[in-house]
Amino acid sequence: MPNHFSNTHCPDWATALLNGFSQIFLQRHPLCGLLCMLAILFTAPSLFGGALLGGVAGLLTAQRRGYAKADRQAGLFSYNGILLGLLLSLTLPWSALLPPLIIASGGLSAMLTHQWLKRTRGHRCLPAYTAPFVGLAWLLMSFTSPQSPPISIEMTIPNLLAAHLSGLGQVMFLGHPVAGALIATGLLLANRRAAGWALFGSVVGLVFTLSQHENAAALSGLGGYNCVLVALAISRQHRQPWLPLLGILLAVMLTPGFTVLGLPPLTAPFILACWLIQATGRAWHQASLDSAPCAPRGNHPRLR
């Protein structure tokens, strides 16, 4: 009999799960994922269990439903669950219902990711990024009390430097600069160019938020995390430096719109900015092809 078990069983849970943590920053690098895990464990240990549970739930769901092994090993079915586990652990008090809610959310995010991947394998399709996380988070947060505003922080040089690193940490709801330093180290190990763009994105977000006189949000790193993700996403697809910069500017301009709509921005500005850049680029490319002069027709021999 054929060994179906070998086709569906995920042989290296540690690598798959660590890749899930690194995929939050659009990397596939287990050591980067390990440093992301340590960032949570060292700076927000109360969130660590939820993150782990959400990631494992996504991975187990993917294995149980027979999703592609390569995608499971790459961490593509885990990172949205990790983010949901972090968010739910942060916003909801501990109760017996919290673990099942995280498990259900992580599993559902894996199913949504699979459906997106199945329909968007072509180069013309837009990637999911963290869309499953954002959609499920908005749904779940509609039943929770609003988050408290960021704590006021004194404007000093050390706090500005800490805010620069916190912009990386806030991707995972971590406002401590040590978390940002660990994540930056992981990105350096995975891809030095990506690390440079991430740090640059955090600086731009920090400066823009300060220019809007939102000092508390800026010094907490809340103005930088979407810029970090946009810089990581677009810089890996395009070598032109102006495209990531354009994406960063789009993200900072889109963020206030979600506040006006009464929605927490989460990573939605990052997703929309990337989609706009990619959709515009593809439309421009198609328009240039359509407007190109037709090649002169010769008297080609007819093939039998």
Side-chain angles (χ1 to χ4, degrees), residues 175-231:
H176 201 289
V178 171
L182 287 168
I183 293 165
T185 304
L187 288 172
L188 277 170
L189 293 172
N191 187 323
R192 284 181 292 178
R193 184 171 180 270
W197 272 112
L199 291 168
F200 175 74
S202 183
V203 168
V204 175
L206 173 63
V207 171
F208 181 85
T209 311
L210 286 173
S211 71
Q212 301 300 305
H213 307 290
E214 299 177 10
N215 292 2
L219 295 175
S220 300
L222 294 173
Y225 69 93
N226 274 297
C227 300
V228 167
L229 290 172
V230 171

Side-chain angles (χ1 to χ4, degrees), residues 35-48 86 90 166 169-170 172-183:
L35 287 167
C36 291
M37 287 181 66
L38 292 177
I40 302 169
L41 186 61
F42 290 163
T43 64
S46 61
L47 307 183
F48 183 74
L86 285 166
L90 180 67
S166 296
Q170 287 289 2
M172 298 195 299
F173 309 102
L174 306 174
H176 201 289
V178 171
L182 287 168
I183 293 165

Side-chain angles (χ1 to χ4, degrees), residues 47-82:
L47 307 183
F48 183 74
L52 206 58
L53 192 59
V56 170
L59 197 55
L60 280 173
T61 301
Q63 183 197 351
R64 181 67 182 84
R65 299 180 71 86
Y67 297 161
K69 178 181 173 181
D71 291 340
R72 298 201 311 263
Q73 285 297 106
L76 298 183
F77 299 115
S78 302
Y79 69 94
N80 282 295
I82 292 167

Side-chain angles (χ1 to χ4, degrees), residues 23 56 61 75 95 117 125 130 183 200 204 226 232 237 252-253:
Q23 285 287 0
V56 170
T61 301
S95 71
L117 289 173
C125 301
T130 52
I183 293 165
F200 175 74
V204 175
N226 274 297
L232 286 168
Q237 296 171 339
V252 296
M253 288 188 292

Side-chain angles (χ1 to χ4, degrees), residues 286-297:
Q286 186 61 46
S288 64
L289 290 177
D290 293 342
S291 62
C294 296
R297 294 186 178 181

